[in-house]
């Protein structure tokens, strides 16, 4: 079960960072965050979620948490992925404003101030836009430009970059349920829940230490995820509309094909048995029945799915300062 911290009044800013083998980065990242948030003079918590690191990351984080009780630490039993890490951080956060960023020094802690300001202006979600992205051109920048474009078109959420640091109104983000590899779609989910969303340009740095945890394959996963969330996430598109709708179109097509068969028989005395369109008619009818059945099954599944969503998608070994 997820244990949510209900007491959200007394922390203003929650900074959440997923950590997976970032031993060279996290100490520096922590320093940078402190440097940027101390001048803001707000109550804060920095939540590091160690996503099953196998290097010294956890040890380093432990030392940091020992010295600063505003640093909270969650350690996973194994690597559950960035989405689960963020979900754990969010579940355990108390801040009125939540900032999520990477722990690899690629996002700039200086942007925390501007992200926060936009939330204070009244937006629920502020997405960072890495205008000058410091990654490899082809495998990263170009591919992500295309992916972002598709996501924009499909989700109708108008932001340029879904993969950077982001700020959220705490109670909005704590309502969004994360699963699979879907942390990239948090802004989309939030927006579908009715959150107001905006974006600001943020700084971006090349990765100095450690390796990126992802490869080009991720982009394809992201696109598949997009189809899934479009499907599961958007409350208005029920599966029966999609499958049943397709089924109806197929029935319609099969009717046209059947009429054509009969018309050919009457006008040209074309044998119905030898007419390939008859085969098409039958095939379309079978397909449409399949689609209807799939639609009903999908409806059933989504209900089961939503009922059973109480279990957290991660296992915690240890928490510190919680
Ligand atoms: N990360 C994680 N679990 C994973 C993979 C990545 O917590 O399984 C963290 C990682 O430590 C980093 C952030 O997610 O803080 C983004 O990962 P990365 O920098 O490798 O992605 P990129 O910037 O290359 O897109
Ligand atoms: Mg990175």
């Amino acid at each position: 079960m997820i244990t949510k911290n209900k007491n959200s009044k007394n922390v203003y800013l929650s900074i959440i960072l997923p950590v997976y083998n970032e031993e060279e980065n996290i100490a520096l990242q922590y320093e940078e965050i402190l440097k940027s948030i101390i001048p803001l003079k707000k109550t804060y918590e920095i939540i590091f979620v160690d996503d099953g690191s196998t290097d010294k990351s956890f040890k380093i984080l432990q030392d940091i948490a020992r010295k600063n009780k505003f640093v909270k630490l969650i350690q996973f039993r194994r690597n559950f992925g960035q989405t689960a890490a963020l979900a754990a951080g969010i579940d355990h956060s108390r801040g009125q404003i939540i900032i999520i960023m990477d722990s690899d020094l690629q996002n700039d802690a200086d942007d925390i101030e501007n992200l926060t300001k936009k939330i204070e202006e009244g937006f629920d979600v502020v997405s960072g836009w890495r205008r000058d992205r410091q990654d490899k051109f082809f495998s990263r920048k170009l591919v992500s430009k295309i992916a972002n474009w598709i996501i924009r078109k499909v989700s109708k959420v108008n932001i340029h970059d879904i993969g950077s640091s982001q700020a959220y109104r705490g109670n909005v983000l704590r309502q969004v349920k994360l699963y699979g590899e879907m942390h990239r779609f948090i802004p989309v989910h939030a927006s579908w829940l009715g959150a107001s969303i905006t974006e600001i340009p943020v700084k971006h740095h090349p990765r100095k230490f450690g390796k990126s945890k992802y490869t080009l394959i991720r982009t394809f996963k992201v696109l598949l995820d997009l189809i899934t969330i479009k499907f599961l996430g958007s409350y208005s598109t029920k599966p029966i509309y999609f499958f049943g709708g397709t089924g109806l179109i197929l029935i319609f097509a099969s009717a046209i094909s059947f009429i054509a068969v009969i018309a050919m028989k009457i006008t040209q005395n074309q044998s119905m048995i030898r007419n390939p369109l008859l085969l098409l008619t039958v095939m379309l009818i079978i397909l449409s029945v399949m689609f209807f059945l799939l639609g009903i099954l999908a409806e059933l599944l989504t209900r089961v799915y939503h009922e059973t969503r109480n279990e957290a998608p991660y296992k915690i070994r240890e928490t510190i300062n919680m």
Side-chain angles (χ1 to χ4, degrees), residues 126-299:
V126 186
S127 171
W129 177 11
R130 293 165 292 184
R131 274 181 129 148
D132 185 20
R133 190 169 171 180
Q134 304 289 329
D135 276 320
K136 284 197 206 102
F137 176 73
F138 179 75
S139 66
R140 272 309 167 68
K141 290 207 285 196
L142 182 69
V143 166
S144 111
K145 266 220 166 80
I146 298 169
N148 274 308
W149 181 82
I150 297 175
I151 290 165
R152 247 194 332 271
K153 291 295 157 207
V154 175
S155 68
K156 310 248 170 16
V157 177
N158 237 333
I159 50 174
H160 288 86
D161 183 2
I162 52 159
S164 188
S165 44
Q166 289 148 357
Y168 293 87
R169 197 170 298 286
N171 49 22
V172 172
L173 186 52
R174 281 184 284 263
Q175 279 174 17
V176 179
K177 279 184 177 164
L178 297 178
Y179 44 88
E181 279 281 316
M182 300 203 170
H183 62 272
R184 271 173 221 88
F185 298 108
I186 310 177
V188 173
H189 273 298
S191 159
W192 283 349
L193 287 175
S196 59
I197 180 165
T198 188
E199 66 182 349
I200 57 167
V202 291
K203 276 175 261 166
H204 192 241
H205 306 287
R207 204 186 234 281
K208 271 195 233 127
F209 309 109
K211 278 198 296 261
S212 171
K213 311 299 182 291
Y214 299 101
T215 54
L216 190 60
I217 294 171
R218 166 170 72 172
T219 316
F220 298 104
K221 289 189 184 160
V222 168
L223 292 180
L224 288 176
D225 279 346
L226 181 67
I227 297 171
T228 320
I229 59 151
K230 181 75 186 165
F231 212 80
L232 297 180
S234 86
Y235 288 13
S236 51
T237 41
K238 298 176 64 213
I240 191 69
Y241 293 169
F242 175 77
F243 286 113
T246 314
L248 282 178
I249 292 171
L250 291 176
I251 284 200
F252 188 66
S254 88
I256 290 176
S257 158
F258 191 58
I259 289 168
V261 172
I262 293 177
M264 285 169 170
K265 172 79 184 168
I266 294 169
T267 57
Q268 300 160 18
N269 200 20
Q270 155 88 273
S271 155
M272 279 172 79
I273 304 288
R274 293 215 192 107
N275 193 337
L277 282 181
L278 190 66
L279 208 65
L280 183 70
T281 308
V282 173
M283 202 186 76
L284 287 174
I285 288 180
I286 295 173
L287 262 182
S288 80
V289 171
M290 301 288 257
F291 267 96
F292 278 117
L293 288 179
L294 267 181
I296 292 163
L297 269 182
E299 281 284 330

Side-chain angles (χ1 to χ4, degrees), residues 18 20 22 51 82 103-104 106 140 207 212-213 218:
Y20 183 45
E22 307 281 4
D51 183 14
Q82 198 179 343
S103 56
D104 59 358
Q106 289 200 268
R140 272 309 167 68
R207 204 186 234 281
S212 171
K213 311 299 182 291
R218 166 170 72 172

Side-chain angles (χ1 to χ4, degrees), residues 14-18 45-49 70-74 88-90 92-94 322:
S14 297
I15 320 270
I16 299 176
L17 304 102
E45 59 183 5
I46 303 174
I47 305 178
F48 285 104
V49 186
F70 301 115
V71 173
K72 321 259 147 132
L73 194 50
I74 299 172
I90 294 163
H92 291 82
S93 70
R94 298 179 299 160
M322 282 294 175

